[in-house]
Amino acid sequence: MKKTKLRICLFPIVLFISFTLLSNGTGKQIVFATSSSDYATQALSDEKNATQNNDFTSFDIKWAYEGTDLGFNYSTTSTTFKIWSPTATSVQLISYGTNTNPTAAQVSAKAMTRGTSATPTNHATNTIGVWTLTVPGNQNGMVYAYKLTFADGTVSDYAGSTYGTFSTSSVSNTTNDPYSIATTQGGNRSVVESSANLASNLALAQGKSATWRVASPTQAIVDELHIRDFTSSSTSGVSAGNRGKFLGVIQSGTTDPNTGTATGLDYLKNEGFNYIQLMPASQYASVNEAGNRTTAQPNNFNWGYDPQNEMVPEGEYASNSVNPVTRINEMKEMVQGLHTNGISVVMDMVLNHVYSQSASAFEKAEPGYYFRKNTQSGCGNDTASNHEMFGKYIIDSVTYWAKNYDIDGFRFDEMTLLDSTTMNKLRAALTALDPHIIMYGEGWGDSNANNIPEMSINNYKNVPGIGFFNPGERDTISNNGGSAGGFAAGNTASTTTVAGALLASGGWNGNGTVQAFLTPSQSINYVECHDSFTLNDSLWSADPNDSVATHQARVTLANATNILANGVTFMETGQEFDQSKLVNPSNLTPLSPTQTQAYQSGSMAKPAWYPASWDTAKNSYNGLFGLASNGTYYGNYWPGSNLYTPVVAGDVVNAMNWDNVKDNQNAVNFIGNLMKFKKANPQFWPDDYSKLAWTPTSTGVENVTNASNGVITEELTSGATKYLVILNASGNSVKIGQGGQFYGMSNLTGKTVIISDDSSLTANQVLNSSVTLSNLTVTVIQLSK
């Protein structure tokens, strides 16, 4: 772009007015003037054009800022504050002193100064939309906010039904810092914290120093957990003060007081998980951070998908939510404790929407800019990642967690709504820190309503190094939430597609090879996550007349198949020990397995509260039940929807019931042994489709030899070591080996059983020429060493 500068000198008063003329690609030129009021007028005019055309490209060229210093910049002698707001006519820094009471009175208000550097070809120095103030002295602990004033006609979109509504009078907004890293309780005021205050025992490490990170994402076995749900139950054995807290996640030596089995951190280690995915741990809006739960307010619960301050830890999870530093240091202590135990941490990032657009710091700081015309999230507050300053915020916030909290990976809520240009930049930024930091997210749908390159699973080729939850893999194994069921539910018609799932969701393409993604690590394999039915509940729905023993065998088969599938293994806490979200909605009492079987099969008489609540109990989703105070059922509850005022089941439905570990000990042991075996054998986690094959004559490392009638046999080779995996969901026992229905040309004499959940077999058992395997079992046999 060609740039020309014109300087005018007026005498006897010397006044320099700098105009920048920039070609915008249309033959027209962009003109800047140095007056702050002129900047505001120009920016507002440009933003109106952008909203009317639903295109912020020209606006961003002129006004965006890519400096790395937004927020506060602390030193012991002064602190500089910076906020981006090109349409503001004035900005003040509001100080509340060091009083962390969220309703403390204002102490001072100081005018901030707009930048005058207009460099649209270099956004690192383009400060004409940035307001700055340096406050002398040591400002450690200062509580602050910004007061921004905007002219008549300021753009906004509070209603969400239109895009670009305009004020009819001057607008004044007081807001916390969009770049807050510490806040008062409730998140509405920001806090300056010194480097010393932010220091902790967390040993920051990247690259080879981060020994807990895996070399390839296909080695990861991820357990999704909610910080409160993980330890809030008394069955967790966690000390009362740590239950539902950051520190509860890493309390060691805990056992279920009812059964004596290991819980919490020790359970994760014993079972073999090497990654955990934290459901949103950054500060969110709907929960009272004081943690108050009373009869009058039992719904002080949420999973965190209602974000408020993306770079601040959630206060409810801290031992003290009033002190802004406590949550920071305790979250860092949690991360350190997990790393010390060899477990990596993935953060669930909710960047596609906010809890409330009108109340958000983004809308208050620059009305009408950060949000999209067309909402797709279902929340009505979709952020605009393709607008440069929110794309920048995505990169800044994610890398902040990686750099300051040593987070090892990131999961993105409704990732489709983020644009691939921004996500590729983020991938590059994280790779520069450590290429082993993993990224993945939800890639549902292709609406293209906002005319952006969406992060859909169908666009995987455009985003190398970023994975996608694989619903096809889930559905073919369990058909989560469906009535027909998948492979584990007895649907033998899905045998071939399950075999494809084992090969990272590849399939037959005519030449014996498979290809589904750029690499297998883009496939996030799961049969349960927080926003779908639990595997336990799904399989009860598919096969309501099963005995409890048969049902448990289906759950174990589904879990084992998911673990053996090439790609990234993803599970939700408790799925291997039959965690359920089914409750009696009339009194929120959890159902026992026997009651569940009776309810699902219809063999128990329908209670008085049928039909509305009954079907909810049979088909639980999210564990959130909307109930009025009189018990009337209103449907699933989405906080912030304002459709009704419900009572949420909360802990009753969502808290881990660690008693279930003992009740399902055989399944827990089998799944744990299978995870450990997979991690120890590289032939089970290649990240290269050239090492995956479909036909028995191929030379790939993984080789499906049969996929028919509910039986799959697969060979896996690494060097001289070869294993045979057999999955049997045929409905009958099957003979494997010489003279058998499957693998019949091979003599298994002298071969060794490595792991099996068939009760007739034991680990290290040496076989004869063949072996008969029961229905709904998984067996791994070592064929050669």
Side-chain angles (χ1 to χ4, degrees):
M1 291 181 285
K2 186 177 180 181
K3 186 167 63 174
T4 307
K5 284 201 172 183
L6 173 65
R7 178 165 291 176
I8 302 174
C9 181
L10 301 178
F11 187 82
I13 300 174
V14 180
L15 175 65
F16 292 98
I17 304 176
S18 175
F19 294 91
T20 299
L21 288 80
L22 172 71
S23 173
N24 64 5
T26 63
K28 298 180 180 180
Q29 290 184 315
I30 302 170
V31 180
F32 295 96
T34 57
S35 165
S36 180
S37 61
D38 287 346
Y39 279 139
T41 301
Q42 288 181 18
L44 182 55
S45 175
D46 291 343
E47 188 166 75
K48 287 180 178 179
N49 289 333
T51 57
Q52 289 166 349
N53 297 322
N54 194 19
D55 184 352
F56 278 77
T57 304
S58 295
F59 182 88
D60 282 338
I61 288 173
K62 186 186 293 188
W63 300 103
Y65 175 66
E66 287 293 323
T68 60
D69 53 358
L70 293 176
F72 74 82
N73 298 273
Y74 169 86
S75 77
T76 56
T77 57
S78 66
T79 298
T80 299
F81 299 85
K82 291 191 176 184
I83 185 171
W84 182 79
S85 183
T87 63
T89 57
S90 67
V91 181
Q92 290 180 312
L93 176 72
I94 307 299
S95 172
Y96 303 93
T98 57
N99 191 338
T100 56
N101 184 325
T103 62
Q106 172 181 319
V107 172
S108 65
K110 297 180 180 179
M112 302 181 73
T113 303
R114 183 196 286 272
T116 59
S117 174
T119 57
T121 58
N122 181 5
H123 284 179
T125 58
N126 193 44
T127 64
I128 54 172
V130 178
W131 297 80
T132 303
L133 177 67
T134 297
V135 181
N138 190 337
Q139 301 304 321
N140 180 39
M142 173 184 168
V143 179
Y144 72 97
Y146 297 112
K147 183 177 181 180
L148 304 100
T149 302
F150 303 91
D152 294 0
T154 289
V155 179
S156 64
D157 183 27
Y158 295 154
S161 58
T162 59
Y163 190 57
T165 55
F166 307 104
S167 64
T168 57
S169 60
S170 179
V171 174
S172 182
N173 296 331
T174 299
T175 181
N176 59 306
D177 194 333
Y179 273 75
S180 295
I181 63 170
T183 64
T184 57
Q185 189 179 71
N188 292 320
R189 292 177 180 177
S190 306
V191 184
V192 174
E193 295 296 349
S194 68
S195 301
N197 276 8
L198 297 175
S200 70
N201 67 339
L202 176 60
L204 296 172
Q206 305 292 351
K208 293 180 180 180
S209 299
T211 56
W212 46 87
R213 293 176 189 159
V214 294
S216 167
T218 55
Q219 297 171 261
I221 299 180
V222 184
D223 194 41
E224 178 187 39
L225 64 85
H226 179 267
I227 291 169
R228 179 168 180 83
D229 294 351
F230 191 57
T231 62
S232 59
S233 168
S234 61
T235 64
S236 70
V238 168
S239 59
N242 284 345
R243 287 181 198 158
K245 305 294 185 180
F246 290 126
L247 298 184
V249 175
I250 57 169
Q251 184 174 330
S252 62
T254 60
T255 58
D256 183 339
N258 301 324
T259 65
T261 58
T263 63
L265 174 64
D266 289 353
Y267 176 85
L268 292 176
K269 288 175 59 180
N270 295 343
E271 193 69 357
F273 293 103
N274 55 6
Y275 277 73
I276 64 165
Q277 177 189 295
L278 298 173
M279 290 170 69
S282 55
Q283 196 265 329
Y284 50 92
S286 63
V287 168
N288 181 336
E289 288 195 319
N292 299 325
R293 285 174 173 80
T294 64
T295 302
Q297 191 191 25
N299 62 325
N300 191 27
F301 178 91
N302 205 287
W303 280 341
Y305 295 93
D306 52 335
Q308 184 176 0
N309 289 291
E310 286 284 3
M311 292 191 282
V312 179
E314 168 56 34
E316 193 209 357
Y317 301 146
S319 61
N320 180 341
S321 61
V322 175
N323 185 335
V325 176
T326 303
R327 64 179 76 189
I328 294 171
N329 287 338
E330 289 184 350
M331 182 169 176
K332 290 180 178 181
E333 187 175 346
M334 176 192 68
V335 173
Q336 181 64 61
L338 289 163
H339 286 172
T340 299
N341 284 279
I343 298 174
S344 297
V345 180
V346 176
M347 276 192 71
D348 194 338
M349 303 297 292
V350 188
L351 291 158
N352 63 86
H353 69 274
V354 298
Y355 177 70
S356 168
Q357 178 174 334
S358 61
S360 75
F362 297 115
E363 180 68 22
K364 288 183 175 181
E366 182 53 41
Y369 175 79
Y370 286 100
F371 298 90
R372 288 197 175 126
K373 177 177 182 179
N374 298 301
T375 62
Q376 299 168 248
S377 66
C379 306
N381 307 309
D382 292 16
T383 52
S385 66
N386 56 313
H387 297 180
E388 185 172 334
M389 292 304 291
F390 195 73
K392 169 182 166 56
Y393 183 82
I394 289 174
I395 295 169
D396 289 347
S397 60
V398 173
T399 55
Y400 175 80
W401 289 108
K403 292 175 181 177
N404 295 278
Y405 288 77
D406 216 20
I407 301 300
D408 308 291
F410 299 90
R411 178 262 191 197
F412 297 90
D413 184 60
E414 293 191 279
M415 186 171 67
T416 299
L417 306 187
L418 307 178
D419 70 283
S420 60
T421 300
T422 295
M423 294 299 280
N424 280 327
K425 289 180 181 178
L426 176 57
R427 175 68 272 178
L430 291 175
T431 297
L433 290 175
D434 186 344
H436 298 142
I437 295 175
I438 62 177
M439 289 176 62
Y440 58 86
E442 297 176 302
W444 328 129
D446 280 297
S447 73
N448 293 313
N450 288 291
N451 193 30
I452 63 168
E454 293 180 329
M455 285 295 299
S456 160
I457 192 172
N458 296 321
N459 296 328
Y460 69 87
K461 292 181 180 179
N462 300 319
V463 286
I466 303 175
F468 297 85
F469 281 93
N470 188 341
E473 187 263 358
R474 177 198 67 186
D475 292 345
T476 196
I477 294 172
S478 68
N479 198 16
N480 193 293
S483 57
F487 182 73
N491 181 4
T492 58
S494 66
T495 306
T496 301
T497 51
V498 170
L502 293 175
L503 302 175
S505 291
W508 174 252
N509 66 2
N511 62 8
T513 60
V514 297
Q515 184 81 32
F517 296 98
L518 289 173
T519 60
S521 60
Q522 281 191 303
S523 179
I524 309 300
N525 297 327
Y526 75 111
V527 290
E528 177 183 331
C529 67
H530 75 271
D531 61 358
S532 60
F533 296 87
T534 69
L535 177 64
N536 182 26
D537 294 343
S538 175
L539 289 174
W540 269 127
S541 179
D543 293 286
N545 295 308
D546 276 348
S547 67
V548 172
T550 299
H551 170 76
Q552 177 59 70
R554 294 193 193 280
V555 172
T556 302
L557 175 65
N559 281 323
T561 306
N562 184 60
I563 290 167
L564 291 168
N566 194 249
V568 179
T569 299
F570 180 97
M571 300 173 69
E572 184 178 19
T573 301
Q575 75 177 65
E576 69 276 12
F577 54 76
D578 283 11
Q579 184 74 6
S580 173
K581 297 295 178 71
L582 295 177
V583 299
N584 177 336
S586 67
N587 58 15
L588 301 184
T589 303
L591 305 185
S592 69
T594 303
Q595 286 178 314
T596 298
Q597 194 278 341
Y599 281 18
Q600 294 285 20
S601 66
S603 62
M604 183 179 286
K606 293 177 180 178
W609 36 266
Y610 181 85
S613 297
W614 177 267
D615 288 336
T616 303
K618 292 180 69 175
N619 298 293
S620 63
Y621 182 79
N622 281 339
L624 300 173
F625 297 98
L627 300 169
S629 57
N630 63 0
T632 304
Y633 172 66
Y634 282 84
N636 284 337
Y637 167 50
W638 173 250
S641 65
N642 298 319
L643 296 177
Y644 43 80
T645 304
V647 174
V648 178
D651 293 340
V652 175
V653 169
N654 295 291
M656 287 296 103
N657 181 0
W658 292 97
D659 288 351
N660 289 343
V661 175
K662 186 70 172 180
D663 294 339
N664 299 281
Q665 193 68 65
N666 289 339
V668 168
N669 292 344
F670 173 71
I671 292 301
N673 289 336
L674 187 63
M675 290 196 296
K676 296 181 187 80
F677 172 74
K678 177 181 179 178
K679 290 191 300 181
N681 290 274
Q683 55 267 62
F684 286 84
W685 32 267
D687 195 17
D688 184 347
Y689 276 107
S690 70
K691 295 181 179 179
L692 306 175
W694 189 264
T695 62
T697 57
S698 299
T699 58
V701 171
E702 292 195 31
N703 203 58
V704 171
T705 61
N706 174 80
S708 61
N709 302 316
V711 179
I712 299 171
T713 58
E714 180 189 22
E715 293 180 350
L716 300 98
T717 305
S718 178
T721 306
K722 183 184 233 182
Y723 294 103
L724 173 67
V725 173
I726 307 110
L727 308 177
N728 179 19
S730 65
N732 301 289
S733 295
V734 296
K735 185 177 181 181
I736 304 292
Q738 194 170 45
Q741 303 109 299
F742 303 97
Y743 214 69
M745 300 301 293
S746 298
N747 188 327
L748 298 182
T749 300
K751 311 307 181 186
T752 306
V753 175
I754 298 299
I755 185 170
S756 177
D757 63 341
D758 191 311
S759 60
S760 67
L761 300 176
T762 59
N764 300 316
Q765 178 178 339
V766 179
L767 300 174
N768 294 317
S769 60
S770 63
V771 62
T772 298
L773 302 176
S774 302
N775 182 39
L776 300 175
T777 59
V778 177
T779 300
V780 179
I781 297 171
Q782 186 168 324
L783 298 177
S784 62
K785 296 182 179 179

